[in-house]
């Protein structure tokens, strides 16, 4: 029945429905059923009703229960919130599964931006990187699958008890299954003066913001030839792409060296964390890089204020009671802002206490609402939030949804937290960190990935964008697990 979605059927159905109490009763009844019984009802009802030609009116009424397309309310088998990597990957999979017209993607942005854009790919410093900002994005309409409906709006609220999403423009979307993939929001407002500094001070930049990423390379170029102080900040976790705040520092160091400006300059990495990286193997490798390049790391320094009129940044020293602050002058300040779950999610029935979608970390299915799933940065899965994690999660979630549609509990392969961070340590060199929930390395290649390597730089620079745009967001890339198994001859994890 739910196949009858063409406008004429719907128009007729709408009329019949409006004029008949019976139709309303059927509608209410159908929406109260669980998805499993709905599917059973659809099949049984479909067979029965199709054979009784005289009951066409009832048939049409039932059809409209699924696709009542009045101007402010519509229904879908699957609604996906978010058009980022996870949203597009899952929308592609679901649209292939359910066919055209059954999947909606709610996403307000015009452009689709690769997580690569958080990385120096966007910055393109002085020929170190043969890519431009434009390479890291494409129009959203190209990323959202053609056979899914793009609803260009943001989410105002989700009512999972009634399977209903309301958008900011007041549109109501009824769903049978909901996939939440809304990412994280950037909380620049938590750093006093940072937004004004980003708007007005050419020395202040952030690769995390699509609005200010273009300033980074400008700030590189404007850095005083006579020397100065550059500060790169790392906020309270979790953030997306947690390697990005230090990668840009390594590229800046490289930029200064290439342009004969390094002498007389101080480069500081002021991080809220007590470690440079959460996995010991890679942390040790990075500490060697930092030492060799003469970079200063100030642990447990959290950026709290920027005064661009004085060119000063103030940091709270973490863990001290009473809190102590230290103010430093800058000639370049790269800000990685704190992040959090989008506001509509915080405090919603879908969220855990921290505001993330409360899903099982093994199967990504909601802990309370079995027809709700999450992927990517907005989920409560305690992995490091990267596109590589999204890739691995998309394979797991696909299995979870298949099991759900068969009325089964998810079983089989569990998500091990696989994530990856290609740590660019200079133009031409990358440490490819790959690890799991337990911060244990989970490396694809049978070589020591803790070493800076040119091969990994090429993998990152030349292959990852292809993988992202052509495989991941189309729902065809589930991470390198199979290759890891093959390359390790089936041994290891
Ligand atoms: C990966 O799967 C992925 O997602 C597409 C990334 O983001 C763009 C990555 O950076 C990395 C490293 C991986 C892992 C892939 C391989 C082949 C090791």
């Amino acid at each position: 029945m739910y196949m009858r979605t063409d406008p004429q059927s719907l128009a007729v159905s709408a009329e019949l429905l409006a004029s008949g109490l019976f139709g309303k009763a059927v509608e209410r009844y159908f929406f109260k059923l669980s998805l499993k019984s709905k599917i059973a009802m659809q099949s049984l009802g479909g067979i029965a009703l199709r054979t009784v030609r005289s009951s066409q009116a009832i048939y049409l009424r039932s059809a409209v229960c699924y696709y009542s397309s009045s101007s402010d309310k519509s229904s879908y088998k699957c609604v996906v919130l978010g058009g980022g990597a996870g949203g597009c990957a899952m929308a592609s999979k679901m649209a292939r599964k359910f066919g055209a017209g059954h999947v909606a993607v709610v996403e307000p942005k015009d452009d689709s931006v690769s997580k690569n854009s958080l990385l120096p790919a966007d910055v393109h410093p002085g020929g170190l990187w043969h890519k431009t900002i434009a390479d890291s994005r494409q129009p959203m309409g190209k990323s959202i699958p053609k056979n899914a409906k793009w609803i260009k709006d943001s989410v105002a609220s989700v009512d999972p008890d009634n399977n209903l999403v309301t958008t900011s423009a007041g549109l109501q979307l009824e769903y049978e299954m909901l996939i939440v993939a809304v990412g994280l929001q950037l909380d620049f407002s938590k750093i006093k003066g940072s937004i004004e500094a980003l708007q007005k001070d050419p020395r202040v930049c952030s690769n995390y913001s699509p609005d200010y990423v273009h300033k980074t390379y400008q700030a590189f170029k404007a850095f005083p030839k006579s020397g100065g102080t550059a500060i790169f900040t790392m906020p309270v976790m979790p953030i997306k792409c947690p390697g990005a705040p230090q990668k840009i520092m390594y590229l800046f160091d490289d930029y200064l060296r290439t342009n004969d400006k390094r002498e007389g300059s101080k480069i500081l990495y002021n991080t809220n964390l007590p470690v440079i990286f959460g996995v010991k193997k890679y942390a040790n490798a990075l500490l060697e890089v930092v030492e060799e390049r003469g970079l200063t790391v100030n642990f447990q320094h959290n950026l709290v204020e920027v005064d661009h009129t004085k060119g000063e940044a103030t940091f709270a020293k973490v863990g001290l009671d009473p809190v102590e602050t230290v103010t430093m002058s800058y000639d370049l300040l790269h800000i990685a802002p704190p992040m959090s779950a989008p506001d509509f999610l915080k405090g919603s029935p879908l969220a855990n206490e921290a505001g993330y979608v409360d899903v099982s970390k093994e199967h990504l299915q909601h802990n309370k609402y079995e027809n709700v799933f999450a992927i990517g940065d907005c989920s409560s899965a305690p992995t490091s939030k990267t596109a590589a994690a999204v890739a691995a999660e998309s394979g797991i979630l696909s299995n979870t949804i298949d099991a759900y549609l068969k009325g089964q509990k998810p079983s089989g392969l569990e998500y091990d937290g696989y994530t990856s961070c290609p740590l660019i340590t200079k133009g031409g060199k990358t440490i490819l960190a790959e690890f799991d929930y337990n911060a244990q390395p989970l490396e694809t290649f049978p070589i020591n990935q803790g070493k800076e390597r040119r091969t990994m730089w090429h993998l990152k620079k030349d292959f990852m964008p292809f993988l992202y745009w052509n495989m991941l967001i189309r729902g065809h890339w589930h991470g390198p697990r199979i290759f890891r198994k093959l390359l390790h001859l089936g041994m290891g994890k």
Side-chain angles (χ1 to χ4, degrees), residues 205-217:
C205 53
S206 177
N207 283 4
Y208 276 94
S209 165
D211 298 332
Y212 304 112
V213 61
H214 62 278
K215 290 181 73 188
T216 305
Y217 187 42

Side-chain angles (χ1 to χ4, degrees), residues 157-165 175-176 178 180 348-351 366 368-372:
S157 65
V158 180
D159 174 0
D161 292 308
N162 292 299
N163 297 334
L164 198 66
V165 171
Y175 61 82
E176 293 177 4
L178 180 71
V180 189
S348 90
L350 295 181
H366 199 274
K368 180 169 172 210
Y369 301 100
E370 61 167 12
N371 63 339
V372 177

